[in-house]
Amino acid sequence: MFIDQVKIYVRAGDGGDGMVAFRREKFVPNGGPAGGDGGNGGNVVFEVDEGLRTLVDFRYQRRFKAERGEHGMSKSMHGRGADDLVVKVPQGTVITDVETGEVIADLVAHGQQALIAKAGRGGRGNKRFATPANPAPELSENGEPGQERTIQLELKVLADVGLVGFPSVGKSTLLSVVSAARPKIAAYHFTTIVPNLGMVDTGDGRSFVMADLPGLIEGASQGVGLGHQFLRHIERTRVIVHVIDMSASEGRDPYEDYLAINKELEQYNLRLMERPQVIVANKMDMPDSEEQLAMFKEKLTEDVPVFPISAVTKSGLNALILSIADKLENTPEFPLDELLEKEEEDTVLYKFEAEAPDFEISRDPDGAYVLTGEKLERLFAMTNFERDASIQRFSRQLRAMGVDDALRKRGAQDGDIVRLFDFEFEFIE
């Protein structure tokens, strides 16, 4: 089963909670605070595994959650940090944040890693809060929540050569005779419904990966037919091999087929027209193919090599394979990661983004004031509400953020209800 697009949920591990503890040993008067820190949670990391070819594994497991850090312990013992959760993906996987549409990572090289969800840090134990003014604090932090997000994985097959053309022009047959791949071959349209990869050996020590892509039809770039689902895979091919049915067995004009497919490629991504192309005039064993080929060459205005072959009789294949190998030698590899590094070296990117407010205030229908905000949520999650000292610290943090003044400006009066996530407080002047 070939799966090339899937949505999954990932969550990094929460940090472990800090501990409130005191040192109590014989002959050690006033031992002081001895609560250890919590350990950091585990990150969610995606790593390329060149042995994978599809995203089918994610069809059955769509939720990935890293372990949380261990809680702090007494005697100043810190909790153990959790191991990162490493998720294997195939080469050519593009990871996008569903909510923002931002491309998080484009993984193309074997072993390449990307941090997708950042772990929460461990909470501090009461030993961290000791001061000369308060040498024995009963105060600790909960662990920071790990980052969670819904992401989309999109696979763009990495191949040196991509076979394009109308359905039933012989792409699968060509792949089957030049490589060990065994794609499904039948005399009806859209026999190929998933990309097939094969390793082609030229016989002179060179080799390359060829991809047989589902047939395209007019309107594919706008979503017509099956091929529109797989146009993305052509983006990663270095050389495009355009297979044409030169026998015109289905009543179409070979040159019109050539123009139609190139138009679809251009409308999908203009950069595809910069790729070197090779035209394969297939089915030359059929009647009238020679005449059609002569007319095709008369109409062809581009300087594109044309190779007459018959995939069935295997004639003309050697010259075609050697020519493709020569073109690959003169075509730079897709240095996606190198290009990104070069851009970072050569350019300085300045991003001016409005900072998100620390908090926002709204009103519920019952008149309660509702506080929301990412920073506020993090502080709330890291506060241990079972201890008065932690609650007082949280109150001071809110005051320092300007929450009290903002509530007064919104008209809050003594005794009004302030709602913060699952908790309710009274506003006190």
Side-chain angles (χ1 to χ4, degrees):
M1 186 181 298
F2 185 86
I3 304 294
D4 66 348
Q5 219 171 10
V6 68
K7 287 182 182 178
I8 64 172
Y9 168 84
V10 295
R11 180 184 171 94
D14 298 341
D17 297 342
M19 187 176 189
V20 174
F22 295 92
R23 186 180 178 188
R24 294 185 177 89
E25 294 181 34
K26 193 176 182 180
F27 307 122
V28 185
N30 304 321
D37 300 342
N40 295 333
N43 298 306
V44 178
V45 177
F46 278 51
E47 182 180 23
V48 175
D49 183 348
E50 62 184 1
L52 299 177
R53 285 287 177 267
T54 173
L55 299 173
V56 66
D57 293 343
F58 297 96
R59 179 167 183 167
Y60 306 105
Q61 183 180 357
R62 293 179 182 262
R63 297 178 67 86
F64 294 85
K65 185 177 179 181
E67 295 293 327
R68 75 170 301 157
E70 195 175 29
H71 298 319
M73 293 164 281
S74 59
K75 298 184 180 179
S76 302
M77 291 189 292
H78 301 321
R80 180 180 60 85
D83 295 330
D84 291 344
L85 174 62
V86 180
V87 182
K88 303 288 187 178
V89 293
Q91 287 178 291
T93 302
V94 180
I95 304 170
T96 307
D97 189 294
V98 171
E99 185 176 346
T100 64
E102 173 194 4
V103 175
I104 305 169
D106 191 351
L107 302 175
V108 295
H110 176 62
Q112 184 181 356
Q113 291 187 337
L115 176 63
I116 304 302
K118 187 177 180 182
R121 67 173 178 84
R124 292 174 291 181
N126 68 329
K127 184 176 180 180
R128 299 288 188 181
F129 295 98
T131 63
N134 185 13
E138 295 189 8
L139 174 64
S140 67
E141 284 180 334
N142 290 339
E144 182 182 18
Q147 186 181 13
E148 59 180 327
R149 64 202 319 178
T150 301
I151 60 175
Q152 176 167 293
L153 306 182
E154 183 181 20
L155 176 62
K156 297 183 179 181
V157 169
L158 284 172
D160 300 310
V161 178
L163 300 178
V164 300
F166 272 82
S168 298
V169 295
K171 299 186 299 296
S172 298
T173 306
L174 175 58
L175 180 67
S176 69
V177 296
V178 299
S179 74
R182 292 294 174 262
K184 183 179 180 181
I185 301 171
Y188 57 85
H189 286 191
F190 300 115
T191 308
T192 302
I193 58 175
V194 301
N196 293 298
L197 295 178
M199 180 65 74
V200 180
D201 187 357
T202 62
D204 58 0
R206 295 180 293 176
S207 62
F208 54 86
V209 178
M210 179 180 283
D212 164 29
L213 303 169
L216 303 177
I217 61 176
E218 290 187 70
S221 57
Q222 278 78 44
V224 179
L226 280 178
H228 77 281
Q229 302 175 40
F230 303 104
L231 275 167
R232 70 174 72 92
H233 300 302
I234 303 173
E235 291 183 65
R236 296 289 172 87
T237 58
R238 294 160 56 200
V239 173
I240 296 176
V241 174
H242 201 138
V243 183
I244 299 174
D245 177 5
M246 202 52 68
S247 68
S249 58
E250 298 193 2
R252 296 192 309 267
D253 179 71
Y255 186 68
E256 294 299 324
D257 283 2
Y258 171 72
L259 294 180
I261 295 299
N262 273 348
K263 182 180 178 183
E264 295 304 321
L265 298 179
E266 182 179 2
Q267 289 181 346
Y268 178 75
N269 188 341
L270 186 61
R271 298 294 299 273
L272 290 177
M273 302 311 297
E274 300 174 4
R275 308 280 162 78
Q277 278 199 22
V278 174
I279 297 176
V280 173
N282 194 21
K283 304 188 181 181
M284 293 303 296
D285 56 314
M286 302 287 286
D288 301 328
S289 294
E290 293 292 345
E291 295 178 12
Q292 292 284 355
L293 177 60
M295 289 188 290
F296 180 86
K297 288 183 176 179
E298 287 180 7
K299 297 176 183 178
L300 187 65
T301 57
E302 296 87 353
D303 183 20
V304 182
V306 181
F307 290 88
I309 71 159
S310 170
V312 174
T313 64
K314 301 182 181 180
S315 64
L317 294 180
N318 192 48
L320 170 64
I321 291 173
L322 291 175
S323 176
I324 293 174
D326 292 339
K327 273 201 176 297
L328 285 171
E329 286 185 351
N330 298 323
T331 304
E333 293 188 9
F334 264 114
L336 295 176
D337 45 349
E338 295 174 17
L339 283 174
L340 290 173
E341 291 174 6
K342 187 176 186 304
E343 288 177 3
E344 290 174 0
E345 292 172 4
D346 296 346
T347 62
V348 178
L349 180 63
Y350 296 96
K351 282 189 177 181
F352 296 94
E353 297 179 353
E355 289 188 6
D358 292 340
F359 62 90
E360 293 180 353
I361 301 175
S362 58
R363 298 290 295 273
D364 270 355
D366 60 359
Y369 293 88
V370 181
L371 298 176
T372 56
E374 185 177 344
K375 184 175 180 181
L376 196 63
E377 184 176 358
R378 189 168 62 251
L379 286 176
F380 180 82
M382 296 182 71
T383 300
N384 182 0
F385 286 95
E386 295 180 0
R387 294 189 174 273
D388 291 340
S390 296
I391 296 174
Q392 292 170 8
R393 178 171 180 263
F394 181 67
S395 177
R396 292 194 300 270
Q397 288 173 320
L398 292 186
R399 193 174 299 113
M401 288 172 62
V403 172
D404 288 9
D405 293 339
L407 285 170
R408 290 190 186 96
K409 289 180 181 178
R410 288 293 299 266
Q413 297 180 355
D414 196 44
D416 284 351
I417 298 298
V418 178
R419 191 168 290 134
L420 181 58
F421 307 109
D422 296 332
F423 283 74
E424 290 185 352
F425 306 89
E426 285 189 8
F427 182 74
I428 299 175
E429 286 287 357

